[in-house]
Amino acid sequence: MKRTINFFMRLVCFCCIIAFLNSYQVQAKNKAVLEAENRAEIEAVESHNREIQARISADQGIEQNGFYKDGIYQGTGQGYGGSIETELTVENGFVTAIKVISSKDEDPVYMDQASRLIGKMLDAQSNDVDTVSGATFSSIGLIESVGDALGKAV
Amino acid sequence: MLLERRCKELRESKALTKAQLRKRRERTEQALRFLIQLLFFLTMPGAFVAGFTGVKYLFNSLNQGAVLEMNGFLKSLIFLLEFTLLFGRFFCGYACAFGTAGDFIHGVSAFVQKKIFKRKKVFRIPDKVVLVLQKLKYLNLIVIIGLCTFGVYSSVKGTSVWDVFSRLVRGQGIPDGYTAGVILLLLVALGMALEERFFCQFLCPMGALFALLPVFPFTSLKRKEENCAKNCKICLSSCPAHLKLAADGKRIGECISCGKCQRACPKGNISSSFGKIYRKEIIGILLKTVIFFVLGTLSGF
């Protein structure tokens, strides 16, 4: 009998924790939506600015080019389980795509996390990004791999 | 007449005593446990790390007010929690690679103690001391969760013995900044040699989490106290967690479902509700193995 009471008390506590996490999740999602709207506004203004900049430079006859040489480059890096191979596409001097070609020895759980860095690296147009906590080694491998490819594109 | 007497002699000489039968069953079940532990060690050695990373991820997210994403770590954690809720700490007793490594180290140590140092009894930390030490893992869990919630866990990352262990098990080198972790791992290995399941009992934060969970009583082990001989302590002295199963379920969270008490009891007083229905506990163990293996693989281990 005492065991059953013990079990139910713990079950109730456990359910309370789950309920708390749920309400947290709802709040966090609302906040994220607002943040995304904010960022979209900022991005709209910034892209407008860039357009105007480009037109001014065009009027003045200055070439608008990115930092890298056009082409497709491959790079290798050392991740958690083995090597990570990536392929970069550079168009008009800008890195337009980063693809992971192989990560065969990587733990899929960690690699999935590290892949979130691809978007950040495209934004930054470099591999100078922070690692994903909890998937540090896979992140380092991916960053190293992209860095290797970028090195061939200068 | 002669024929009958011969038949009777043959039958009696082949019959094993009850104790011998029990000993034989004990060895078979021990061998089975060893094989299952080996299976999980080879196929999913990273399970405990993935699960606990889920815990750290959860509290890091809370710290940043970020949306909780159902990534691999969180999925692993949820699976481990659900499984333990239903079947108890089978994971600890059979599927955790760290626990298996500890059992192996202790097995070697026990062998050395008996054969080389000629000790009669393998060394065990006294029960009263163990009672206190077992509370340390809850402190460890709270500290780590606290560090994550305040966003400062990265300052102690180099101390994680699990990170070092999981790299070594994969045959990889030790990463930079983990010197503290390596030293601690060596100390833990020493502890495992001295006391069975040293880390699991006293330090494991995942174990602390499991011990706090509600567990369905259906598959947990229980002792028929009425049948016990007076002052008998055989189950207590064979238990890695120094448990004497009590009716009120005190400290039942410490039980890692290894089954040693059940195998050691001379009266067969220990069984689970599942075992009473299905007669053989082995069926329960094999079922749990299959379920954990299949669902674990699906959860990404």
Side-chain angles (χ1 to χ4, degrees), chain A residues 10 24-25 80-81 107 110, chain B residues 61 66 68 73 170 172 211 222:
Chain A
R10 289 180 187 218
Y24 164 83
Q25 181 77 332
Y80 189 47
D107 200 309
Y110 297 114
Chain B
S61 302
L68 301 171
F73 302 129
R170 285 161 184 252
Q172 291 164 333
K222 292 184 256 298

